[in-house]
Amino acid sequence: VAPNQILRLTKSISCLKKLNQDVLKLEYQPICSIYLQYPQHVRLPYPMVGIEKGVCQWAFDRGFLLGQKGIIGVVISGDGHHLGLTNKELAAAVHSDLQREFRFPDFEWQQVIREKKATIQCSPERQHISNVTELPNFYIAGDYTEIDYPATLEAAVISGTKCAQMILKNEKP
C-alpha cells in the first residue's frame, strides 16, 4: 500500500500508532505524466529514452510497449517550473522537447496527469518505515520501506521480497 494510504487503513488499529506517526512524517514529491498522441507511424528510437535538456526526463513509446501506436508517454518527477504550467502549456513544452530531439510532427491530443503525492521525498533525513509493524504478522511492503534505496520499483521489489520471506518464515528480521 502506498504510504499516503496507510492511515486510512490503519488509523483504527491502536497498536499501529507508531507506524501512523512515522508515516505522517514522510514528505512527498510530485510526478507528472504527459501522454501525447502522434500519428500512428511516430516512434521513439527505443522503448524508453532519457532526455537531458528541457522539461522532459523520460519518454516511453507506448506503441512499442503496449501496442498503442503513436502514443508517447513522458514522466517528469519532482519539483520544478513545470508545476507552474497549465496542462496545455506543459503538453506544448513536452512536445517541443520531443520535436527537438526526434523531429516529431504535431500531436493530435494530450492527457496530463499530476500526482501531488506520487512518491516519497528521498533524503538522508527521511523517516524510516520498517517492514515489521507492532501488529503480529502484519507487514508493510513498499518502496518507502527500503532506506538504502530511493523510492523506485527496485526498492519496492526488495521490500516485497523481504515481506514474503518473513511471512513464509513467520519471523521478524
Side-chain angles (χ1 to χ4, degrees), residues 122-126 147:
C122 294
S123 68
E125 305 84 31
R126 84 175 190 204
I147 198 69

Side-chain angles (χ1 to χ4, degrees), residues 20 26-27 37 39 48 90-91 109 121 125 140 142 149 154:
N20 292 333
L26 292 173
E27 295 181 30
Q37 173 69 65
M48 179 176 120
L90 183 54
W109 59 259
Q121 180 174 328
E125 305 84 31
I140 300 296
Y149 291 85
E154 294 82 1

